[in-house]
Amino acid sequence: LVINWEEQRLESPDAQPLFSDTEKYERVSNLLRICANQGLMNGYPDGSVKPDGEITREEITSILYRIVNHDYEKPFAATGKAFPDVSMERWSAHDIEYMSDKNIVYGYPDGEFKPGNNLTRAEFAALIKRFAKLEKTDKENPFPDLDKSHWAYEDILALNASGLMQGYEDGTYRPENRITRAEVMTVINKILGRNPSEPYVKSLDFN
């Protein structure tokens, strides 16, 4: 996969929020604005974006599909046969099949994709590790709530070591917590190498 590494300066912290519910989220408001302007994330009919809201498996798959550079690829045709619960009528069917074909997204042991399921922080780590081709790390585990037996142990450590995502203020990672839309777009912006202005950087406190 080739990512669209389009460097872009984030707007000033004084810019007006694009969505109706981001004024109290000064640290992520402009990140969400950039993602919306680039067509990576859409708001809701009521004008909100719900920064603290959850994100589904099909939504994150579609976001990742949009940041891949498809200019030099052969046209990809979905068949509706990749997963029994993802028919061609589903809005995300094409993106899910494409990302499955590239071994970025996987289904569950029962063969289903469960597109409407909300994504956990552990699932997100595994997904981003594959998408960004992160290397396994030998760094010590900094999270007291992450046991080595956890299925996403290496994925979470790799994501943390890369600087893409950290834990909470209390030092925990909380792998089974559902990841928020704001957290997702913070990581996406880091992957895309956004180049924020110095005043804006000083206003940020990622994750």
Side-chain angles (χ1 to χ4, degrees), residues 7-92:
E7 189 173 283
Q8 172 172 324
R9 295 185 69 83
L10 292 174
E11 300 178 44
S12 162
D14 298 325
Q16 292 299 309
L18 179 64
F19 301 106
S20 63
D21 60 342
T22 60
E23 289 189 13
K24 67 177 181 178
Y25 300 93
E26 294 181 3
R27 297 184 179 104
V28 297
S29 178
N30 287 329
L31 291 176
L32 293 166
R33 175 192 290 268
I34 291 295
C35 291
N37 288 340
Q38 292 296 309
L40 300 181
M41 175 176 282
N42 299 318
Y44 291 92
D46 63 0
S48 68
V49 70
K50 298 179 174 53
D52 282 336
E54 297 155 350
I55 193 165
T56 64
R57 286 166 58 80
E58 65 184 337
E59 286 174 332
I60 185 60
T61 301
S62 185
I63 288 171
L64 294 180
Y65 174 82
R66 292 169 193 167
I67 67 175
V68 171
N69 187 334
H70 303 284
D71 291 346
Y72 304 103
E73 295 181 341
K74 294 180 180 179
F76 181 83
T79 63
K81 298 178 180 179
F83 301 101
D85 58 339
V86 181
S87 68
M88 286 299 293
E89 288 70 36
R90 195 169 190 100
W91 69 269
S92 57

Side-chain angles (χ1 to χ4, degrees), residues 14-201:
D14 298 325
Q16 292 299 309
L18 179 64
F19 301 106
S20 63
D21 60 342
T22 60
E23 289 189 13
K24 67 177 181 178
Y25 300 93
E26 294 181 3
R27 297 184 179 104
V28 297
S29 178
N30 287 329
L31 291 176
L32 293 166
R33 175 192 290 268
I34 291 295
C35 291
N37 288 340
Q38 292 296 309
L40 300 181
M41 175 176 282
N42 299 318
Y44 291 92
D46 63 0
S48 68
V49 70
K50 298 179 174 53
D52 282 336
E54 297 155 350
I55 193 165
T56 64
R57 286 166 58 80
E58 65 184 337
E59 286 174 332
I60 185 60
T61 301
S62 185
I63 288 171
L64 294 180
Y65 174 82
R66 292 169 193 167
I67 67 175
V68 171
N69 187 334
H70 303 284
D71 291 346
Y72 304 103
E73 295 181 341
K74 294 180 180 179
F76 181 83
T79 63
K81 298 178 180 179
F83 301 101
D85 58 339
V86 181
S87 68
M88 286 299 293
E89 288 70 36
R90 195 169 190 100
W91 69 269
S92 57
H94 174 273
D95 299 350
I96 290 173
E97 280 204 36
Y98 173 91
M99 298 304 281
S100 173
D101 182 70
K102 303 299 181 184
N103 294 314
I104 301 299
V105 301
Y106 300 148
Y108 287 91
D110 63 2
E112 293 187 342
F113 185 74
K114 306 186 192 305
N117 276 19
N118 290 313
L119 199 71
T120 67
R121 287 167 61 86
E123 290 176 323
F124 181 69
L127 186 62
I128 295 302
K129 181 176 182 290
R130 293 192 294 269
F131 181 78
K133 298 180 180 178
L134 302 179
E135 297 292 335
K136 178 180 177 181
T137 180
D138 293 326
K139 289 186 177 181
E140 186 177 348
N141 175 17
F143 305 116
D145 63 332
L146 179 63
D147 190 82
K148 194 170 184 178
S149 63
H150 193 285
W151 69 268
Y153 178 82
E154 291 186 358
D155 302 319
I156 293 170
L157 293 191
L159 191 66
N160 175 252
S162 71
L164 291 178
M165 191 167 178
Q166 311 304 317
Y168 289 94
E169 290 183 358
D170 63 1
T172 63
Y173 185 82
R174 305 176 199 174
E176 303 313 318
N177 273 22
R178 291 173 176 174
I179 197 163
T180 68
R181 292 162 67 84
E183 288 172 330
V184 166
M185 298 324 297
T186 297
V187 173
I188 294 301
N189 273 283
K190 289 181 180 181
I191 289 176
L192 292 175
R194 304 297 188 187
N195 183 24
S197 62
E198 184 176 352
Y200 187 59
V201 169

